[in-house]
Amino acid sequence: MNDDDQIVPPPNSGPKPIVEGRVELVIRNNSKVPLEENSQKLLLELTGGDKSRAGLDLVAVLDVSGSMSGDKLAKMQEATKFVVKKLGIVDRFSIVQYSSKAKRVCRLRQVTESSRAEIENMIKGLKAGGGTNMEDGLQMGLEVLKQRKFGKERVGVVMLMTDGQENDDSNAAGIDVGDVPVHTFGFGDDQDAKVLKAIADNSKLGGTYSDVRLDNLSVAFSLCLGGLLSVVAQDLTLTVSQKDDESTIKHVTAGRYPQSQDADATSITIKFGDLYIQESRKVLVELLLPSANKKRGADILDVTYTYKFEGETFEANPSTVTVRRTDEVKANQQQPPPEVSAEDVRLGVAEIIKQATTDADNNKLESARDKLLEGLKTLQDGDKQQLKVALRAELEELHELMKSEPIYEKQGRPFAYSLLTSHDTQRQAARGNDVGKFQLFATPLMREFLGEPQKFDDINNLDKYTEEVIKALESVEAIINNI
């Protein structure tokens, strides 16, 4: 499959400057800490800057099994055409269709005005029929990226979509996707949320699972695309190191992103993969500080991070967290900074969602709903803090979708699994009937993209209506001419 297009820049475009400062680090911690032995929680927040984006290599792996015939296929075609419409000349696009077997419909092509029309015709030509060999489809999608001849330093992503259960001999969840972000989309009530979430979870560097209703597939695709078209840093890696005789790292919380320790367990490195413009990765670091015998300043943590952009590596200046050891505060009285408390609240809610989902999956809906109600009590109805409002909305919706086994099976489980992947990755994914209602991790560009699919659909519907009117007028004209 090493027949991918080489990117040809437009005339007079010139070289694009690659600048530093694509990722900003903010550290939240108590500046004064007790003299006695104590634990401290610090929040590290990495945020993508507003810089030029990387070029995207996107492989759409599309289910064209028999169950996709009719309106579902039409919706998928419109959603995929919208994706192609939003891609630019720095992007490449490939299509893999799968039913009983997988087939590459379109090689990885640069998206130009001429190729866009050809790709849209390929999308229009998709036909439904056969089984659902999701494993074959996913494997071929990954091979398209693996066998690239040009631009392996570019952003490579797979978007996989299905409406149903995979064949008995298919095991898509068992495929090692490596460092490729795979974003899965479950379309309708017959989707297998467990498999789709497992595929996304295998994609440890930011893959998500979206629960899609019949009429919002374009919206779900566009929400994902709003991130993919704003990758400002690649291979983002953060390292935290304790300071000899001043601190010991007790725990680092960073969702499902891979962590590794150095040989003497004094530093921890977290791999995040790609970061979007205005997207954040929050990391909680818990330190144990030994007792101090006098007031003094102390360096308690070193923080470094690196990232790449189109093959070039950038290393940020190291940061050192310094505190003042003092008897002005006591360990049993000190509170963490508000930002640290807020992240603790979010993580606590995510854990409640996980526990409730486990109960619901084991046919313990009453216990699951009780856990969600307890979680709601901790968020205080009158609190207007944006984070707590968003978390309440998530818990309330999930509580409603757990009111009966049939509702949970068709809508509750997909909603819950999508919630869990979002919290684990700190990345937006679509879910529920009202996609715009749940935007805890949405970036500005994602929000901007949310309303565009409807406009695109309206234009397409108008074009179809115009074609029908023209055909009707031609038929009337033919009748008149025959009189």
Side-chain angles (χ1 to χ4, degrees):
M1 296 185 192
N2 59 347
D3 55 356
D4 49 307
D5 285 356
Q6 185 171 12
I7 291 289
V8 178
N12 305 319
S13 61
K16 181 172 63 175
I18 299 179
V19 296
E20 296 187 55
R22 292 179 166 273
V23 180
E24 178 186 2
L25 170 66
V26 175
I27 303 174
R28 311 284 187 184
N29 64 282
N30 288 320
S31 59
K32 295 180 179 181
V33 301
L35 290 175
E36 61 194 296
E37 182 182 88
N38 65 96
S39 292
Q40 292 289 321
K41 277 188 178 180
L42 296 75
L43 178 66
L44 314 180
E45 185 171 3
L46 295 163
T47 303
D50 191 6
K51 307 289 184 181
S52 58
R53 72 174 179 92
L56 173 67
D57 287 348
L58 178 59
V59 182
V61 180
L62 306 176
D63 183 352
V64 293
S65 60
S67 60
M68 283 292 295
S69 60
D71 197 30
K72 286 183 180 179
L73 181 64
K75 293 283 187 183
M76 184 184 72
Q77 289 169 319
E78 290 303 317
T80 309
K81 283 194 286 186
F82 173 79
V83 169
V84 175
K85 176 179 178 292
K86 298 300 295 183
L87 298 178
I89 199 166
V90 298
D91 305 312
R92 299 189 295 183
F93 186 74
S94 174
I95 303 169
V96 171
Q97 69 171 39
Y98 69 94
S99 52
S100 300
K101 293 194 301 184
K103 175 185 177 183
R104 190 186 62 159
V105 177
C106 174
R107 72 176 191 276
L108 198 56
R109 299 193 62 182
Q110 182 179 11
V111 180
T112 63
E113 286 305 314
S114 60
S115 70
R116 181 179 285 113
E118 294 173 10
I119 293 169
E120 288 180 352
N121 282 333
M122 294 179 192
I123 296 168
K124 187 177 179 181
L126 295 175
K127 306 293 183 185
T132 310
N133 192 339
M134 198 184 305
E135 178 182 0
D136 205 23
L138 176 57
Q139 192 68 62
M140 185 169 289
L142 293 168
E143 284 297 312
V144 170
L145 294 176
K146 182 180 179 181
Q147 296 185 28
R148 285 177 292 180
K149 183 163 59 174
F150 302 109
K152 287 192 176 183
E153 74 282 356
R154 293 162 54 82
V155 176
V157 177
V158 169
M159 290 173 59
L160 182 145
M161 178 270 173
T162 184
D163 75 322
Q165 312 279 324
E166 62 181 336
N167 296 348
D168 291 340
D169 58 348
S170 174
N171 181 25
I175 292 180
D176 180 4
V177 304
D179 289 341
V180 177
V182 179
H183 299 277
T184 61
F185 299 81
F187 192 16
D189 291 342
D190 295 326
Q191 61 173 293
D192 192 333
K194 290 183 179 180
V195 169
L196 294 174
K197 180 180 181 294
I199 295 169
D201 287 349
N202 289 341
S203 170
K204 296 187 181 301
L205 298 186
T208 58
Y209 157 60
S210 291
D211 163 37
V212 183
R213 302 293 99 194
L214 181 62
D215 293 325
N216 66 11
L217 182 58
S218 291
V219 175
F221 275 16
S222 68
L223 195 65
C224 181
L225 193 64
L228 301 180
L229 291 182
S230 62
V231 173
V232 73
Q234 301 162 263
D235 297 335
L236 176 62
T237 300
L238 174 77
T239 299
V240 292
S241 304
Q242 64 191 43
K243 302 292 284 187
D244 290 343
D245 302 323
E246 296 288 2
S247 66
T248 301
I249 295 176
K250 293 175 64 178
H251 191 67
V252 175
T253 305
R256 76 163 190 244
Y257 293 100
Q259 297 186 22
S260 58
Q261 286 186 333
D262 64 350
D264 54 3
T266 59
S267 69
I268 293 178
T269 297
I270 306 132
K271 293 178 63 177
F272 291 109
D274 300 335
L275 189 68
Y276 306 154
I277 292 173
Q278 296 302 307
E279 187 181 44
S280 294
R281 294 287 174 268
K282 296 179 179 179
V283 179
L284 275 183
V285 181
E286 188 173 356
L287 297 176
L288 177 66
L289 307 187
S291 61
N293 55 17
K294 63 179 180 178
K295 298 179 182 180
R296 61 180 174 81
D299 295 339
I300 61 172
L301 190 72
D302 285 333
V303 184
T304 61
Y305 64 95
T306 63
Y307 59 88
K308 293 180 181 178
F309 185 78
E310 295 187 342
E312 188 169 345
T313 300
F314 296 91
E315 185 170 348
N317 292 326
S319 297
T320 299
V321 180
T322 301
V323 297
R324 180 73 181 169
R325 303 300 299 264
T326 177
D327 58 4
E328 296 174 21
V329 294
K330 299 299 180 183
N332 60 356
Q333 298 173 344
Q334 191 172 43
Q335 298 296 320
E339 297 84 359
V340 173
S341 297
E343 182 64 2
D344 261 336
V345 168
R346 184 189 73 81
L347 292 170
V349 169
E351 180 60 27
I352 288 169
I353 293 170
K354 183 178 180 180
Q355 292 176 6
T357 302
T358 299
D359 281 352
D361 284 346
N362 290 310
N363 301 315
K364 300 176 182 177
L365 277 183
E366 186 175 348
S367 174
R369 285 166 60 85
D370 286 344
K371 284 183 171 64
L372 296 176
L373 288 175
E374 287 299 315
L376 283 166
K377 288 178 184 178
T378 67
L379 295 174
Q380 302 174 11
D381 288 343
D383 196 327
K384 301 298 183 184
Q385 185 182 345
Q386 186 176 359
L387 172 64
K388 291 187 177 181
V389 170
L391 293 174
R392 275 200 300 272
E394 291 179 351
L395 292 183
E396 288 169 351
E397 183 76 8
L398 185 56
H399 185 266
E400 182 67 16
L401 294 175
M402 286 184 173
K403 64 184 179 182
S404 73
E405 289 289 348
I407 293 176
Y408 178 71
E409 288 294 326
K410 292 189 179 224
Q411 299 179 44
R413 179 180 289 118
F415 185 90
Y417 282 14
S418 179
L419 266 182
L420 290 172
T421 59
S422 273
H423 280 286
D424 280 347
T425 59
Q426 300 179 53
R427 175 160 282 172
Q428 188 64 32
R431 68 188 67 90
N433 293 319
D434 184 1
V435 175
K437 183 179 178 181
F438 308 101
Q439 298 186 40
L440 182 57
F441 301 104
T443 66
L445 188 59
M446 289 178 181
R447 294 189 181 98
E448 182 182 322
F449 271 33
L450 269 177
E452 295 195 16
Q454 185 60 52
K455 298 175 186 176
F456 179 76
D457 288 344
D458 289 345
I459 291 172
N460 277 324
N461 290 335
L462 181 61
D463 289 343
K464 290 175 184 176
Y465 176 73
T466 303
E467 290 176 4
E468 291 173 0
V469 170
I470 292 172
K471 289 180 181 178
L473 290 174
E474 289 173 347
S475 297
V476 170
E477 184 179 6
I479 293 172
I480 291 174
N481 290 335
N482 290 329
I483 295 177

